[in-house]
């Protein structure tokens, strides 16, 4: 038995539900910091940034599942749904912090930010694309849509990751290292998909 088979065997016995409390740990920590003054001089902006960054981390983690399987034969596929839903939770939180705490429901400003500030427009687009992904992240939707259509719909994840990374780069308006690293990781993870799709096509009998 190979090491990958051994790991997969052990993973099969691991339940998926503990990922939810684990994924909520950063949120619990931020809540603690918010109530104990640990978020610095501008707690709303800090919270907005922290939850945005956790959203992107989980989106990228979800994108890593297939490459890990292809490269190491270790399959984390059973945890992908949880990772995606946790990412969605942080995006919703990020959006709500912006809406309620940052812009305090000033609808005029909210509308003009969505229409006129490219990084907000891009963030909203990514958020909107995550909604059908989150709503259909259950077995009933897979059965109703059929695996093929469901798989096509969930390719939206790629657009979400690309838009999320570009949104981050546009937020900072200069060229610091962290958003560039995220963008590079997302670009490599997406490029790998293109390569694998081409390989699949060329392996098909003519
Ligand atoms: C998939 C969707 C999204 C992802 C992955 C994401 C991620 C991020 C990240 C990583 C940051 C920067 C954090 C830092 O500097 O440490 C950020 C900042 C921000 N995001 Fe998002 N975001 C998303 C959607 C949205 C949406 C829908 C909105 C609001 C409509 C939004 C509004 C903002 C704002 C206002 C900031 C801070 C800008 C500033 O510093 O002035 N984001 N986001």
């Amino acid at each position: 038995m190979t090491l990958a088979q051994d790991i997969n065997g052990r993973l099969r016995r691991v339940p998926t539900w503990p990922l939810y409390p684990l994924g909520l740990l950063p949120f619990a920590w931020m809540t603690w910091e918010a109530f104990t003054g640990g978020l610095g001089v501008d707690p709303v902006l800090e919270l907005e940034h922290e939850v945005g960054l956790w959203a992107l981390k989980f989106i990228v983690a979800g994108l890593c599942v297939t490459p890990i399987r292809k490269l190491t034969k270790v399959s984390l596929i059973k945890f992908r749904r949880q990772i995606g839903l946790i990412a969605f939770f942080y995006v919703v939180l990020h959006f709500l912090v912006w809406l309620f705490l940052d812009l305090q429901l000033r609808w005029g400003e909210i509308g003009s930010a969505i229409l006129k500030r490219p990084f907000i427009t891009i963030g909203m687009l990514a958020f909107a694309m995550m909604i059908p992904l989150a709503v259909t992240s259950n077995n009933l939707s897979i059965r109703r849509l059929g695996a093929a259509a469901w798989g096509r719909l969930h390719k939206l994840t790629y657009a979400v990751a690309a838009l999320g990374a570009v949104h981050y780069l546009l937020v900072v308006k200069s060229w610091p290292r962290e958003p560039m690293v995220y963008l590079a990781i997302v670009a490599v993870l997406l490029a790998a998909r293109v390569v694998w799709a081409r390989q699949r096509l060329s392996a098909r009998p003519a």
Side-chain angles (χ1 to χ4, degrees):
M1 188 191 278
T2 65
L3 179 63
Q5 283 168 335
D6 182 35
I7 295 174
N8 287 337
R10 285 167 199 268
L11 285 175
R12 262 193 286 280
R13 291 193 291 275
V14 176
T16 52
W17 67 262
L19 235 65
Y20 291 119
L22 276 177
L24 292 183
L25 282 180
F27 171 63
W29 176 246
M30 281 179 253
T31 310
W32 166 258
E33 283 196 317
F35 284 104
T36 54
L39 289 176
V41 283
D42 192 342
V44 170
L45 197 64
E46 184 58 27
L47 194 64
E48 198 167 56
H49 282 201
E50 295 257 320
V51 282
L53 211 47
W54 278 105
L56 193 56
K57 281 177 185 161
F58 280 105
I59 290 170
V60 171
L63 270 192
C64 288
V65 170
T66 300
I68 288 174
R69 183 172 53 82
K70 294 247 186 205
L71 298 175
T72 68
K73 306 265 185 294
V74 171
S75 177
L76 300 169
I77 215 114
K78 66 184 261 195
F79 302 108
R80 200 162 55 179
R81 177 183 297 173
Q82 285 72 22
I83 297 173
L85 287 173
I86 295 165
F88 184 65
F89 168 78
Y90 281 102
V91 173
V92 171
L93 211 60
H94 184 56
F95 175 66
L96 293 179
V97 170
W98 178 73
L99 201 65
F100 284 93
L101 302 181
D102 190 353
L103 293 196
Q104 300 182 6
L105 297 182
R106 293 188 295 271
W107 295 107
E109 254 182 77
I110 289 165
S112 82
I114 292 172
L115 295 176
K116 293 189 189 142
R117 301 186 73 186
F119 86 92
I120 297 282
T121 315
I122 289 174
M124 279 306 287
L125 222 75
F127 177 38
M129 285 180 182
M130 285 182 94
I131 295 171
L133 294 178
V135 170
T136 57
S137 283
N138 53 71
N139 295 342
L140 183 67
S141 296
I142 300 176
R143 275 201 302 279
R144 282 209 176 139
L145 291 170
W150 186 89
R152 277 196 300 278
L153 175 68
H154 279 250
K155 289 212 170 16
L156 272 180
T157 311
Y158 305 151
V160 168
L163 291 171
V166 171
H167 166 80
Y168 185 14
L169 192 67
L170 293 181
V171 165
V172 285
K173 299 176 196 91
S174 55
W175 303 97
R177 210 177 53 172
E178 210 172 349
M180 299 288 279
V181 170
Y182 275 96
L183 193 62
I185 294 172
V186 168
V188 169
L189 291 170
L190 297 187
R193 261 80 180 180
V194 175
V195 173
W196 290 323
R198 284 204 179 149
Q199 282 171 352
R200 272 199 306 276
L201 273 181
S202 61
R204 262 191 209 166

